[in-house]
Structures are given as C-alpha cells and as structure tokens.
Amino acid sequence: RLDLLDPSPLDVEIEDIAQGLSRVARWNGQTRGDWAFTVAQHALLVEKLVGQLKPLTPAKWRLAALLHDGAEYGLGDLITPFKAQIGPDYKALEHRLLRAIHLRFGLPAELPQHVTDLVKRADKVAAFFEATLLAGFAEAEALKFFGRPRGVEVNRLVPQAPAEAKQRFLARFAQLSEAAA
C-alpha cells in the first residue's frame, strides 16, 4: 500500500505506475479516438521529445522524463488551471510522491535544474501537439497557451487501449533503466 501523505520509495512499484498512468486520461478524456489519450502515452511522448530536443541526453534523464508525471498514478491528472486553484498543498503532495518515485528508481530526489527545464520544455511541446492533434484546439489557440514548438515534429498521435499503453510504458522503462544502469 502507498501512503499518499508520506510516500516511501519502498512502496513504489513500476507495475503500479504503469497500470495507473495507462488508465488516467489526459485532457479529462476530451480527445478524439476510441480511447482516451493516457498519461502513460503522454509520458512516452515527452521522453521521445526530450530525445529530439537534446539527442545526447543521458538515459537516466530520459528516464526522469518518462516518470515526470509519475505521481499521477496515485493522484490522478488534474488540469493545470485547477492545480493552481487548489494551491500549494496539492503541489507539495505531488512533489513528495515524485521524490519517492525518483529515489525508488535510482534518480536524485531533486533533478538538476537543466533536466527539469528540458522536461518542462518537452512537456509543453507535447501539450501543444496533443491540443492540436487530439483535443480540438486550433493552432492559433494552442500557440497562445503553449507557444510554438521548435526543433521537433509530431504528425500523429493515436490514443491506445490502456493495456497497450501500459505495455509500451513498461517496455520503454525497461530499456531506459538498463541503459541508465
């Protein structure tokens, strides 16, 4: 069992993260397709974009990118404006769980600032493409919220069944974990 108020790295399992993230919908499920675009798929996209933005990024930092929304396996995905309204208590809870996830998988509890900045940049780029390719945003509208993506290209995003998203997430986690070791 995971104590969400005081999470221990010893209670964090990658299977649980993959299961949870593969069932949590991005954009509150308001996307095109037969399935919701999941946080697991988003995590895979962000990790891929980190590799496009900075091709020489070490595997351990790409692993951090894959796990950047890992806390959502236990907390769910709240849209950013709602998180801001809830305030610092939610962010602190999310941060504690993410620290436990980092420690569990051999990452520093606090990532170096350059890694955090790179992951945030990739996250914003992913949001732009998700908004325009899946969530019905016009490009001009997405540009206002997320800015123009530079140095990357995403032409298609296909929502997947949760079991498929889970397996893809676990496979990529295994690859990155092995490379980072």
Side-chain angles (χ1 to χ4, degrees):
R1 298 279 180 233
L2 177 67
D3 181 350
L4 291 175
L5 300 179
D6 186 22
S8 167
L10 300 174
D11 294 332
V12 174
E13 298 295 336
I14 194 59
E15 282 282 336
D16 294 339
I17 292 171
Q19 175 78 3
L21 297 185
S22 71
R23 293 180 178 205
V24 175
R26 291 276 293 167
W27 304 92
N28 287 333
Q30 301 300 311
T31 54
R32 297 180 181 107
D34 293 334
W35 301 99
F37 191 76
T38 68
V39 175
Q41 289 183 269
H42 168 75
L44 287 160
L45 177 59
V46 169
E47 185 271 324
K48 179 181 175 180
L49 290 168
V50 163
Q52 287 181 20
L53 291 167
K54 296 274 186 188
L56 299 179
T57 301
K60 73 177 182 178
W61 303 139
R62 291 185 69 161
L63 180 61
L66 183 70
L67 296 170
H68 81 282
D69 280 338
E72 293 179 9
Y73 93 96
L75 302 176
D77 184 22
L78 299 178
I79 58 174
T80 301
F82 191 57
K83 282 182 187 179
Q85 290 300 314
I86 291 175
D89 290 341
Y90 179 83
K91 292 301 272 181
L93 186 67
E94 186 177 52
H95 187 72
R96 280 195 301 272
L97 183 49
L98 192 56
R99 288 172 49 95
I101 291 168
H102 285 172
L103 292 172
R104 170 65 175 91
F105 299 114
L107 298 168
E110 300 294 333
L111 299 176
Q113 192 60 50
H114 75 278
V115 175
T116 298
D117 293 344
L118 177 59
V119 172
K120 282 183 182 179
R121 180 176 169 207
D123 194 32
K124 202 169 185 180
V125 169
F128 174 88
F129 287 115
E130 291 168 10
T132 55
L133 297 174
L134 294 171
F137 282 55
E139 185 172 324
E141 183 182 19
L143 287 171
K144 282 190 243 179
F145 289 108
F146 310 111
R148 180 170 303 284
R150 301 197 190 288
V152 297
E153 191 60 43
V154 176
N155 297 316
R156 188 169 178 242
L157 295 172
V158 179
Q160 300 168 328
E164 184 178 351
K166 176 183 177 180
Q167 290 309 312
R168 287 187 59 233
F169 183 91
L170 287 170
R172 188 62 180 146
F173 174 85
Q175 291 170 339
L176 291 169
S177 293
E178 184 176 321

